[in-house]
Amino acid sequence: MTLQQKLRQPSKRGRFSLLSLFEAMATPHALDRYLELVDPMTTVRDLRGEVTAVHYSTADTVTLTLRPTQQWNGFEAGQFVQVGVVIDGVRHTRCYSPACSQYRDDGRIELTIKAHPEGLVSQYLHRNARVGLVVSLSQASGTFYLPTPRPERVLLISGGSGITPVLSMLRSLLDEGYSGDLTFLHYAYSEKDVSYRRELEKIAEGKDNVRVVIAYTDQEDGDAKTGDLHGFFGTEHLDAVAPWHRDAHTYLCGPPGLMRGVKNVYAELGLTESLHLEEFAPPTATVTDDADGDVTFTGSDVVATNSGRTLLEQAEDAGLTPAFGCRMGICFTCTSVKTSGCTKNVQTGETDSEPDKKIQLCVSVPVGDVAIEI
């Protein structure tokens, strides 16, 4: 019997007492720090994933299949996980949405990651992912998922690497035997930029109630199997792929241009309440010339002139290295205590002057003088 199995044997109360005893003996390091020296996938508390398959579907994307450790609780289609890797001795974490069905029978997770030019983690995984690589994981989280019971009509819209959460929804609905009207609309530059194109073509041929459409923004022709469109999203595309859209729930994830286009159309049609969004691009803080005051990083004895950028960016500009994950305000990795001053949330526009309060650095900009514990 392995150590991990022995630790599972006692009652819940006894198990935690035994764990506490082992961890006290392991001080100053957590027990998992010692177990990983023997086997990185043998853990008591830490959730990790081992890469069991690597596939390159396009030139700039890599699809990883992960086998999570026993702590994994599963996910709902559309949610995301945080993936951590060590690069040059420093652990970096980013958020990725599983692309597989939530009902995958082997319990593994499929992540398709686009190597963005400035993406430290995505570039690392695109170059270095191999079978046997172990990464850190978080439990799934996020509010972008289908309601229960399922809507009678569903429109899924994605663009670029935003395909993963809505593809997970598509796969999960198919596994459920969903019988309502279902359209999957994906935007890409050209055929060679579409991840899962062959699978989408097969899905398009197999179900009478399911329609798959690829829209190409830089290509004039395409494969008729997926009823291709050309150009950018508008009411013409919406009417063509889902004439029943007024009675549907729409789920959207994609680059900022697509997100803006869809949101504007739905606002004009009075359908904003039926549109559900997952942002995967960092929010943009509008830098104005009237930014004033100083930012004091109290934990580092550093004072910087307020540039109007987010506190995460200003900390990095000052040579500091605060922990961060998604840079989108959804993972809470970059949370720090604001001891004084006023900040503005770039996503909501709300200001906060409460002292000694935890705030998210990646979505907060200082308004005048601010002191933050970094």
Side-chain angles (χ1 to χ4, degrees), residues 257-326:
L258 176 63
M259 302 288 283
R260 286 193 301 271
V262 176
K263 286 191 286 187
N264 289 341
V265 168
Y266 271 64
E268 292 171 1
L269 296 175
L271 298 175
T272 298
E273 291 187 0
S274 65
L275 178 63
H276 312 276
L277 311 172
E278 175 73 307
E279 306 275 0
F280 74 88
T284 301
T286 302
V287 179
T288 61
D289 294 333
D290 58 357
D292 61 0
D294 293 326
V295 180
T296 302
F297 301 102
T298 58
S300 307
D301 292 328
V302 173
V303 179
T305 302
N306 177 18
S307 66
R309 304 176 74 191
T310 66
L311 283 166
L312 176 59
E313 293 172 310
Q314 295 201 50
E316 292 174 332
D317 291 343
L320 306 179
T321 55
F324 65 88
C326 64

Side-chain angles (χ1 to χ4, degrees), residues 51 53-55 62-66 109-113 125 129-130:
V51 176
V54 179
H55 172 67
V62 59
T63 297
L64 309 179
T65 302
L66 302 178
I109 313 166
E110 180 182 307
L111 305 176
T112 292
I113 298 164
L125 291 172
R130 66 189 186 284

